[in-house]
Amino acid sequence: QVPLVESGGGLVQAGGSLRLSCAASGRTFDSYAMAWFRQAPGKEREFVAAISGSGGITKYEDSVKGRFTISRDNAKNAVFLQMNSLKPEDTAVYLCAATYFYSDYVGHGDPLEYDYWGQGTQVTVSS
């Protein structure tokens, strides 16, 4: 098990910034690829960004490229999502996810690749 707890969500105006954090438990955190997904009401869960265990490989959904940055601190068992230039369409519950890959890899952004999930944190962007 890899318990995950997100924080940092909130209400922000369009154009603003938020930084999400995800705290993980466990001794082998750097063995897990981490990702952020989001889910808006009535919509399917959507991939946002992923980072490999070492932090050396990242992947982003096209609509957030250049605005969002995923990072991790393996010494602190944490992953972050810096979100800048937020838009109303970014409004959703943001969920942290973890999975084990046999190599330093980020997968395809498919939620089915991820075994562990947090409860989510709400991000609301007002226009």
Side-chain angles (χ1 to χ4, degrees), residues 19-32:
R19 187 180 191 231
L20 305 184
S21 299
C22 175
S25 300
R27 298 181 180 179
T28 58
F29 179 70
D30 58 359
S31 298
Y32 288 83

Side-chain angles (χ1 to χ4, degrees), residues 6-101:
E6 303 95 335
S7 61
L11 173 64
V12 63
Q13 289 188 332
S17 299
L18 282 174
R19 187 180 191 231
L20 305 184
S21 299
C22 175
S25 300
R27 298 181 180 179
T28 58
F29 179 70
D30 58 359
S31 298
Y32 288 83
M34 303 294 296
W36 289 95
F37 289 79
R38 64 187 180 188
Q39 190 161 18
K43 294 187 176 182
E44 293 187 351
R45 192 164 294 186
E46 176 187 37
F47 170 75
V48 176
I51 188 166
S52 66
S54 72
I57 304 170
T58 57
K59 180 181 177 68
Y60 295 92
E61 193 270 331
D62 286 346
S63 70
V64 308
K65 284 180 181 177
R67 300 189 298 125
F68 291 10
T69 302
I70 190 170
S71 61
R72 66 190 295 159
D73 184 340
N74 286 341
K76 297 183 178 179
N77 281 18
V79 64
F80 309 99
L81 185 68
Q82 178 66 44
M83 306 187 294
N84 299 329
S85 302
L86 282 160
K87 304 175 182 180
E89 51 263 44
D90 294 318
T91 295
V93 174
Y94 282 71
L95 303 110
C96 178
T99 194
Y100 177 79
F101 289 121

